[in-house]
Every structure is written in C-alpha cells, then in structure tokens.
Amino acid sequence: MRAHVELIHEDDYIFHTGELPSGEGKILERRLSTDEEDGSSSLSLHAIGDWGRSAGIAHADTEFYVVEGTMIYGGQELGPGGYVQVPRGTAMDWVRFREGARILHWREYGDCGFDPYTNVAEASAKAAPESGEGVSVIDANRMEWTEAQSVGPLTPLYIKLLHRDPKTGFYTRLIRARKGWTDHRLAHHPCYEEFYTLGGKMAYNFGDIDEGTYCFRPAGVKHGHFIAETDIDWIIRSDGELTNWYTTDEWVKWGGHAENYEHHHAPVISTLPVRSRSRGEWSGDGM
C-alpha cells in the first residue's frame, strides 16, 4: 500500500527527525514514500551532525546509498556511489554518517525496528538462521556500465546492478540514459518501480525529471514518452522481475453528461498520482 508518486522533487518534502532507533547523533529524514501497512519506506537522510549506530539486526531488508558525503560501514569508508544492502534478520555491522552526508535509505518488508548488539559477532550469534545471502557492500564507482538488453527500450540504456534477490527478482540498480535517449511508447510492469534522479534532465509525460526528482509507481501504471535532454542517471528499485509491456495508439474512455456544473468543474480521474507543486501543471498524458 503505497501511493503513486509521480513526480515529487525532494526539496518539496519537509524534514522529520530521523527514525533510526538506537542511533546517536543528529540526523533528519525526508519521507519519499511509506507503506503504513508493513512499514516499508524510502527515505532521504541528511546528517546535520555526525551520526552513528552500533552493530545489530534490522527488522526490514535495509539499503543505504551515498549521494553526498561519507558513510562508514564496519570500518569501510564509502563516498558517493557507496551502497550497502542487509537482508532482514541478518547481522549488520556498525554504521556512521559524517556531518553533511546525504544518504538514500530503504526499508522493505518491515519497519524501522532495530535490535542493537555490542558488536557484529554478537549480532551474528542472534541472527535468524534463514537470514539469507549476507551483507553486500559495494563502491559503484568501481563497476563498469553494461548495456541493457535490447528487448524493450528503443535505444540503449546502461546499468550497474547493485543487488538482486535470487528468489524474488527484487533488484536495485543504477541506470544511465545518454543524451538523446528516447522512447515514445507507454509501458507498464508487473511489479512496482521507483527511482531517485542522481543527475541530468529528461522530458517526460508526467513532467520534467531533474536531479532530486523522485517517483514511486505501483504495478500496472502506464508511463512513457521519454526524451533525455542530457545524460541522466537514476537509482531504480523494483520488487520483482521488471517486464516492459507496451501500449501504443492508447485511448481512455472518460466523461459523462454534466447535469449541474460547467465543464471546467469536471471530476478528475481517481488514480491521479501524488505530485508536488514544483513539477508544474500536468496534462494527464499517459493515464
């Protein structure tokens, strides 16, 4: 249960005190999207002072991606492009954000609950035996861009795969579109898709996409008409195997006889996405 967000710029969100139990220091968060049924959240963390937390066990699948500044995980220093993924119930080492850091943080299939331990060895002794494949720690800058499969988008996209769950197909990856990348078709998927824009600009049927623009799109929502005005990079997540189903020559039957109101007071389609004012007016194209 998450709202269709398309598009909101991060700067249009308000700050909350960071909901990161057992941590010490100064951290704020912007809640990009949340699921109030199971606690799943997509957050932008801003360290307004040094912040840290001991080793322990998180109650949700947990991910961190460094946008600016420095994160230290278990003694390993990670700058922009640093990524950590910890499956739910798995022991995670201590983590620290230095003042000024900006970190994207995701919790999936669980809330912010966290059981602290003195060190990672103690946490490992308490971890669930079925806790999964272990912790991934990646510096994306050391990875090569690979061309995406040609089936799907009309012109090449490039990816860096950060994490993929072998059972569910859930993945997190970086995607790059070169200037001039385009696709005029409308696509929808059998899984959800969310992205945060790391840099660049794209014209899009839901509005302009630029650095800091966020989207959460539930399964089945059509989207498309892309034109990359510059090279553009995103971090993208989906909760299953992403298959592109395309619609062309699209049409929508919508309307009725207005008995006691003028046309400009007509009702809106109930599935309009959540958008922020800075994204400007939207024609409804793509719905």
Side-chain angles (χ1 to χ4, degrees):
M1 181 199 73
R2 287 210 229 183
H4 176 198
V5 177
E6 192 143 29
L7 304 155
I8 289 182
H9 194 280
E10 179 185 340
D11 290 345
D12 296 324
Y13 286 89
I14 64 172
F15 280 112
H16 300 266
T17 300
E19 193 177 22
L20 294 161
S22 303
E24 295 183 359
K26 298 179 179 180
I27 193 88
L28 298 176
E29 69 183 29
R30 284 170 165 159
R31 299 170 185 171
L32 304 178
S33 68
T34 60
D35 186 326
E36 293 294 344
E37 290 182 309
D38 69 3
S40 298
S41 299
S42 300
L43 308 166
S44 178
L45 305 177
H46 292 242
I48 58 173
D50 289 345
W51 178 90
R53 186 166 73 181
S54 70
I57 299 174
H59 296 184
D61 288 353
T62 299
E63 296 172 88
F64 298 101
Y65 181 85
V66 183
V67 178
E68 293 179 1
T70 301
M71 173 175 66
I72 304 170
Y73 178 79
Q76 182 174 347
E77 186 168 312
L78 298 165
Y83 172 79
V84 173
Q85 196 274 345
V86 186
R88 176 175 53 180
T90 300
M92 64 180 298
D93 215 330
W94 61 271
V95 63
R96 181 179 304 151
F97 306 146
R98 289 190 175 142
E99 181 177 356
R102 189 156 59 91
I103 312 289
L104 296 175
H105 173 43
W106 298 273
R107 298 190 292 260
E108 205 70 42
Y109 309 127
D111 60 19
C112 66
F114 182 80
D115 303 323
Y117 290 95
T118 303
N119 52 55
V120 71
E122 183 181 353
S124 296
K126 300 292 185 179
E130 69 281 2
S131 55
E133 66 232 70
V135 179
S136 300
V137 182
I138 293 172
D139 180 355
N141 298 302
R142 297 179 178 272
M143 302 174 69
E144 297 293 331
W145 291 102
T146 60
E147 187 170 323
Q149 295 180 356
S150 59
V151 176
L154 297 176
T155 47
L157 290 169
Y158 301 88
I159 67 171
K160 293 182 180 182
L161 183 63
L162 300 178
H163 180 262
R164 180 184 177 87
D165 187 306
K167 295 180 180 179
T168 66
F170 196 120
Y171 74 77
T172 301
R173 60 186 176 183
L174 300 174
I175 291 189
R176 170 170 291 176
R178 297 293 188 185
K179 181 180 179 180
W181 182 90
T182 185
D183 196 339
H184 65 271
R185 300 167 297 179
L186 294 178
H188 64 287
H189 313 300
C191 54
Y192 83 53
E193 184 179 33
E194 73 169 337
F195 67 75
Y196 182 94
T197 312
L198 299 170
K201 188 173 182 181
M202 172 173 281
Y204 174 48
N205 65 308
F206 282 104
D208 288 340
I209 299 172
D210 55 15
E211 182 177 346
T213 305
Y214 173 77
C215 164
F216 184 93
R217 186 183 303 121
V221 174
K222 290 187 294 183
H223 56 287
H225 307 321
F226 303 101
I227 302 175
E229 297 177 349
T230 68
D231 287 359
I232 183 168
D233 293 343
W234 305 273
I235 185 165
I236 290 185
R237 303 170 72 250
S238 285
D239 65 339
E241 188 68 37
L242 189 143
T243 302
N244 287 301
W245 293 326
Y246 290 108
T247 299
T248 55
D249 299 324
E250 63 276 1
W251 58 268
V252 175
K253 184 177 180 181
W254 175 255
H257 176 67
E259 291 193 5
N260 63 343
Y261 59 88
E262 296 179 6
H263 176 71
H264 67 273
H265 291 300
V268 299
I269 302 172
S270 62
T271 53
L272 288 175
V274 177
R275 305 180 77 247
S276 59
R277 293 184 182 89
S278 73
R279 298 302 88 192
E281 296 296 327
W282 177 55
S283 67
D285 182 31
M287 296 299 287

